[in-house]
Amino acid sequence: MSGPLLDGKTAVITGGAQGLGLAIATLFVAEGARVVLGDINGDAAAEAAAALGGSDVAVGAACDVSAMADIDSLLKTAIDTFGSLDVMVNNAGITRDATMRKMTEEQFDQVITVHLRGTWNGTRQAAGIMRENGGGTIVNMSSISGKIGNLGQTNYSAAKAGIVGLTKAAAKEVAYQGVRINAIQPGLIRTAMTEAMPQAAWDSKLADIPMGRAGEPDEVAKVALFLASDLSSYMTGTVLEVTGGRHM
Ligand SMILES: NC(=O)c1ccc[n+]([C@@H]2O[C@H](COP(=O)([O-])OP(=O)(O)OC[C@H]3O[C@@H](n4cnc5c(N)ncnc54)[C@H](O)[C@@H]3O)[C@@H](O)[C@H]2O)c1
């Protein structure tokens, strides 16, 4: 395989304004893709797109992944602006951590809605377009929290485990139409989401990592590139852990 891995492809990345989403967008552009960044913070998405090289390669748009109409308009932006939809990365996320005793129903619902409903919206609508157009790839952002269950994250762990089931079921439905769907389970990666965590929680996670360090966003982006590109042409319904060996 030679040349850029995503040459001429169009990728939509939710939660693309910062963190893992922005790292994925940056690597995808470097590999020849044009990207549409959807984020609840539309201004930040537009700024990120401008920094990636402007309207020839990147567009930012306001999008709440939990609203089907917002997902539809994001996907339409990709097709209207760049002519196709080849890759969808369902990455947007939030945390509302609390023990079950203290977690409110609203906190539970918010996290389930953004992650699980949001990923379902993105997977369903993107797969619908891709199968009409001969194929595509979808990458869903789960978390190691969905494999092991984390204290204080009954909402988040449930949503992230749900994304695994969703990914596998959806992959079976559309494999014969050329659409591949896979998931990533990152461990402790240095972003705004994890830097908000108390130092003691950070230190205790670090102590469990065989490689002895947190991951960097571009180390998740490289795995997203693998799953989005033909490098993974015979893979669908898989879950790749990017954890430095933690919870293997
Ligand atoms: N950082 C980690 O260690 C880690 C580990 C495992 C999984 N993840 C997952 O990776 C993804 C990205 O996390 P991150 O660390 O980059 O977080 P982050 O907080 O830096 O970025 C998340 C982005 O999602 C956007 N967003 C939030 N709600 C949204 C909505 N309803 N619609 C559209 N956009 C929305 C935010 O505005 C933000 O730009 C999340 O799904 C997260 O659960 C992160």
Side-chain angles (χ1 to χ4, degrees), residues 14-22 24 38-42 44-45 61-67 70-71 90-96 110 113-115 118-119 141-145 156 160 163 184-195 197 202 215 217 220 242 246:
T14 68
Q18 63 177 51
L20 300 185
L22 181 54
I24 291 167
D39 203 285
I40 194 114
N41 186 342
C63 166
D64 177 352
V65 294
S66 59
D70 281 17
I71 289 285
N90 293 299
N91 164 81
I94 57 169
T95 49
R96 296 287 183 271
Q110 281 174 337
T113 301
V114 172
H115 289 278
T119 301
M141 200 58 74
S142 176
S143 164
I144 203 69
S145 180
Y156 185 82
K160 291 305 201 184
I163 287 173
I184 301 176
Q185 291 190 323
L188 181 64
I189 314 295
R190 195 183 300 281
T191 67
M193 183 179 276
T194 49
E195 281 179 342
M197 126 189 357
W202 176 277
V220 177
V242 186
R246 179 163 156 249

Side-chain angles (χ1 to χ4, degrees), residues 154-216:
T154 48
N155 50 2
Y156 185 82
S157 295
K160 291 305 201 184
I163 287 173
V164 171
L166 185 171
T167 297
K168 292 181 179 184
K172 283 182 182 168
E173 289 189 20
V174 294
Y176 77 102
Q177 289 162 312
V179 183
R180 298 189 295 106
I181 312 178
N182 293 284
I184 301 176
Q185 291 190 323
L188 181 64
I189 314 295
R190 195 183 300 281
T191 67
M193 183 179 276
T194 49
E195 281 179 342
M197 126 189 357
Q199 189 64 38
W202 176 277
D203 291 345
S204 93
K205 286 178 194 295
L206 204 56
D208 276 347
I209 302 174
M211 285 179 68
R213 64 173 178 85
E216 298 299 327

Side-chain angles (χ1 to χ4, degrees), residues 5 69 114 130 169 216 231 234:
L5 288 167
V114 172
M130 289 170 178
E216 298 299 327
L231 285 180
Y234 196 50

Side-chain angles (χ1 to χ4, degrees), residues 70-152:
D70 281 17
I71 289 285
D72 282 338
S73 113
L74 191 69
L75 300 181
K76 186 171 184 307
T77 298
I79 291 164
D80 290 351
T81 313
F82 297 126
S84 65
L85 173 68
D86 306 294
V87 178
M88 176 73 179
V89 182
N90 293 299
N91 164 81
I94 57 169
T95 49
R96 296 287 183 271
D97 294 357
T99 58
M100 264 199 300
R101 203 157 64 90
K102 293 190 181 150
M103 187 179 290
T104 63
E105 290 172 74
E106 190 190 12
Q107 288 173 321
F108 182 82
D109 287 346
Q110 281 174 337
V111 168
I112 296 290
T113 301
V114 172
H115 289 278
L116 195 49
R117 176 65 198 254
T119 301
W120 185 72
N121 287 346
T123 301
R124 176 179 187 255
Q125 302 307 87
I129 293 169
M130 289 170 178
R131 67 179 170 220
E132 297 298 316
N133 296 340
T137 55
I138 300 177
V139 180
N140 290 336
M141 200 58 74
S142 176
S143 164
I144 203 69
S145 180
K147 173 182 170 181
I148 59 154
N150 269 341
L151 282 174

